[in-house]
Amino acid sequence: MVAQPITVPFVSFRPMERELDADLRAAFARVLDNSWYIEGKEDAAFEAAFADYCGAKYCVGCGNGLDALVLILKALGIGPGDEVIVPSNTFIATVLAISYAGATPVFVEPVLASYNIDPARIEAAITEKTKAIMAVHLYGQCADMDPILEIARAHGLKVVEDAAQAHGATYKGRRAGSLGDAAGFSFYPGKNLGALGDAGCVTTSDKALAEKIRALGNYGSDYKYHHIYKGQNSRLDEMQAAFLAAKLPHLDAMNAQRRTIAARYFAEITNPAVILPTVMPGCEHVFHIFAVRCKNRDALEKHLNERGVGTNKHYPTPIHLQGAYKELGIPAGALPLAEEISATELSLPMYYGMTEEQVTAVIDAVNSFKE
Ligand SMILES: *Cc1c(COP(=O)(O)O)cnc(C)c1O
């Protein structure tokens, strides 16, 4: 058939931008009028609001999600010679953070249904070098935190949440960002809470850790021109903080709409060739990604794209098979679940402002796929 133009993009920011247009322009005008761009009242106000939203005592803004995770690991004193347990199926930034801290990633396979790290496989990966477990809340659903926290307590390990895909997600009523020793968030524009550029933050309820993270992200300085660490420059600027503060009050409604779209996918996608994601007990999913699996994934993708439906893959090559991680010497076949997800996962359109017609078009296109 002749391919149609994409009528349902994989993601669009337009509906959100139109709705919040006046608020975003007012935020920009306020910062410009104030003529103050780094470490000011916009940053402080957003940090307070986001800490409160997450149910954490402190929030420290930084440049992006990768930096948030690096700053946490460094502040926890994790470095060369240390090992950090991390799921084998995540975005590469989770693992790069461990490398940037100078530590070694140790991959643990996920539960296929939840796509999140399998707590039952963690203990076997712990050695005397293990210092922390990085729990990723992949695709917008929290990892199974209670058993992870229990294992960590038993072995004296820290628990770091990679909450970059999980703004607003809950686990047994607690929000992502309040579940471990500290959490890293990304406000990359495509995330559920996105800035109009790069931005990120750390949440934690540990005051000393929050202070160390803030210093590490500000040239290691606890007050001006006084440097107690060899820090880096990673701060949340006033402009992005003001945009984020304008968007935060809408996050719950935007997440609720994602769940409404997901509910239609769950109810109306009936193609037996397509495996739908699973919402785990006790979890409120925020569907950063609606990740289905299909044995003939590439054929399904082609079928959808030809019918005007945009798609994506998260992520087409597992980290242990990336050139950047050759040094680990992990061969193909060694992490079969991560490899299975990479080979079969397809992400369907999911964004605030998708119309009923667009959701219907996705469902019809998926249901008309024949293996
Ligand atoms: C986006 C993302 C990051 C990195 O965030 P940036 O702001 O792009 O640096 C880290 N971990 C996960 C799981 C992500 O999805």
Side-chain angles (χ1 to χ4, degrees):
M1 73 181 267
V2 180
Q4 297 169 16
I6 295 291
T7 50
V8 190
F10 173 68
V11 69
S12 169
F13 307 142
R14 280 284 169 224
M16 176 274 297
E17 287 162 351
R18 272 197 290 270
E19 190 172 312
L20 301 185
D21 186 86
D23 294 356
L24 294 171
R25 287 177 200 281
F28 169 79
R30 204 168 62 235
V31 174
L32 190 63
D33 288 347
N34 202 33
S35 190
W36 186 272
Y37 301 104
I38 307 279
E39 290 194 288
K41 58 191 182 190
E42 298 290 342
D43 187 17
F46 172 71
E47 287 176 350
F50 194 67
D52 185 55
Y53 177 83
C54 293
K57 287 204 182 112
Y58 309 99
C59 170
V60 181
C62 64
N64 55 66
L66 172 57
D67 284 357
L69 297 171
V70 174
L71 291 167
I72 293 169
L73 293 174
K74 286 187 175 171
L76 289 172
I78 291 167
D82 296 335
E83 291 177 355
V84 177
I85 288 173
V86 64
S88 52
N89 63 316
T90 180
F91 180 53
I92 196 164
T94 322
V95 182
L96 286 173
I98 299 168
S99 301
Y100 280 22
T104 303
V106 174
F107 294 115
V108 168
E109 290 265 82
V111 173
L112 212 44
S114 71
Y115 297 117
N116 277 323
I117 192 167
D118 186 350
R121 295 172 186 261
I122 290 176
E123 240 157 358
I126 295 174
T127 72
E128 70 274 15
K129 293 179 180 169
T130 310
K131 290 288 164 10
I133 303 168
M134 284 273 236
V136 182
H137 306 317
L138 200 67
Y139 305 149
Q141 174 161 256
C142 288
D144 192 5
M145 293 303 287
D146 280 350
I148 294 171
L149 292 164
E150 202 174 301
I151 293 163
R153 251 192 309 273
H155 293 270
L157 308 177
K158 300 293 183 185
V159 176
V160 179
E161 296 171 74
D162 180 342
Q165 302 189 355
H167 317 74
T170 63
Y171 176 82
K172 300 184 183 174
R174 288 137 47 211
R175 277 241 161 89
S178 70
L179 301 169
D181 291 285
F185 284 90
S186 165
F187 301 120
Y188 177 80
K191 309 291 185 180
N192 288 36
L193 180 62
L196 307 187
D198 273 317
C201 80
V202 173
T203 57
T204 180
S205 289
D206 180 333
K207 184 163 194 267
L209 192 65
E211 284 170 357
K212 188 168 181 188
I213 287 167
R214 189 177 298 284
L216 282 171
N218 192 22
Y219 303 112
S221 158
D222 54 351
Y223 59 90
K224 202 167 175 78
Y225 302 134
H226 186 263
H227 304 276
I228 47 179
Y229 314 110
K230 293 186 191 73
Q232 60 199 77
N233 174 9
S234 185
R235 301 173 296 210
L236 177 61
D237 64 70
E238 289 285 279
M239 197 66 83
Q240 296 306 336
F243 293 140
L244 288 164
K247 290 175 79 175
L248 180 59
H250 303 272
L251 177 58
D252 283 342
M254 294 194 289
N255 281 341
Q257 195 187 88
R258 286 172 181 265
R259 279 192 292 274
T260 303
I261 295 164
R264 283 202 58 202
Y265 286 163
F266 281 121
E268 298 174 51
I269 292 176
T270 53
N271 190 331
V274 175
I275 302 168
L276 297 172
T278 307
V279 178
M280 302 305 281
C283 288
E284 191 167 53
H285 204 312
V286 293
F287 293 104
H288 173 60
I289 301 289
F290 194 90
V292 305
R293 292 201 316 283
C294 178
K295 195 152 46 66
N296 297 319
R297 184 264 316 273
D298 293 346
L300 174 62
E301 177 174 54
K302 184 164 173 283
H303 177 88
L304 295 181
N305 295 168
E306 281 173 358
R307 281 156 186 78
V309 173
T311 53
N312 219 324
K313 301 180 198 118
H314 296 91
Y315 300 89
T317 305
I319 294 161
H320 65 285
L321 302 181
Q322 298 278 5
Y325 280 101
K326 277 202 299 277
E327 73 208 34
L328 296 175
I330 303 174
L335 295 166
L337 296 178
E339 292 170 30
E340 162 86 9
I341 293 168
S342 285
T344 59
E345 191 275 345
L346 191 69
S347 306
L348 302 184
M350 172 60 75
Y351 54 90
Y352 179 73
M354 262 183 95
T355 65
E356 291 287 332
E357 293 72 27
Q358 287 176 317
V359 179
T360 302
V362 176
I363 292 164
D364 290 347
V366 173
N367 285 339
S368 66
F369 173 69
K370 287 188 186 59
E371 277 192 285

